[in-house]
Amino acid sequence: MPELSRRRALTAAAALATAAGVTTVTALTASASEDPGHPQHAGHPGHPERSEHSGHDQHAPASFDEVYKGRRIQGRPASGGAHQHHGGGYAVFVDDVELHVMRNADGSWISVVSHYDPVPTPRAVARAAVDELQGAALLPFPAN
């Protein structure tokens, strides 16, 4: 039997890490797709329905207005403005300050505060921002 070399050990470790990462991503994708606020196209999980003519979702996220951990969070269809392109025509606010959000190609949402933690809905992105801010005020995001 051949002796285990450093190269073979590292190759095996990389293969195991890759397999574990794929399993984690698959589990996260499956749990996100179970969220009732996550629009999906039947037969194509993770891909929101899009109108052929408008390029916008046929089922836009619902508006919300609530207090979460003592902070007022709101979300509603955007009425124009500089950030409409990235947010897909949807605006999110924390204590009446707009939270810059972006919708990813897979339908998940991120914000300038929690950029590396995609979530399934605008409400979830607002809550994640409140969690990340830990009581600090959200400052307005400068328009370029």
Side-chain angles (χ1 to χ4, degrees):
M1 178 173 223
E3 192 172 315
L4 183 63
S5 69
R6 179 181 289 180
R7 178 176 286 175
R8 285 187 179 167
L10 289 174
T11 300
L16 287 172
T18 301
V22 167
T23 302
T24 301
V25 168
T26 303
L28 289 174
T29 302
S31 67
S33 67
E34 293 171 3
D35 184 343
H38 185 70
Q40 292 183 344
H41 184 276
H44 298 287
H47 295 283
E49 292 184 20
R50 298 209 178 258
S51 166
E52 288 182 30
H53 304 291
S54 69
H56 293 289
D57 288 345
Q58 292 175 350
H59 302 287
S63 295
F64 64 91
D65 186 347
E66 69 180 40
V67 175
Y68 176 73
K69 294 187 177 181
R71 311 288 292 269
R72 183 176 183 197
I73 59 173
Q74 299 170 287
R76 60 183 171 263
S79 59
H83 303 298
Q84 187 170 354
H85 173 71
H86 294 298
Y90 198 85
V92 175
F93 300 87
V94 175
D95 295 332
D96 296 322
V97 176
E98 185 172 6
L99 174 65
H100 182 74
V101 297
M102 185 173 78
R103 189 161 197 187
N104 294 320
D106 66 355
S108 64
W109 293 78
I110 57 174
S111 76
V112 69
V113 176
S114 58
H115 195 77
Y116 297 104
D117 188 21
V119 294
T121 65
R123 182 187 310 256
V125 84
R127 288 178 175 177
V130 167
D131 292 341
E132 195 68 31
L133 286 168
Q134 298 180 4
L138 176 65
L139 300 176
F141 191 77
N144 292 340

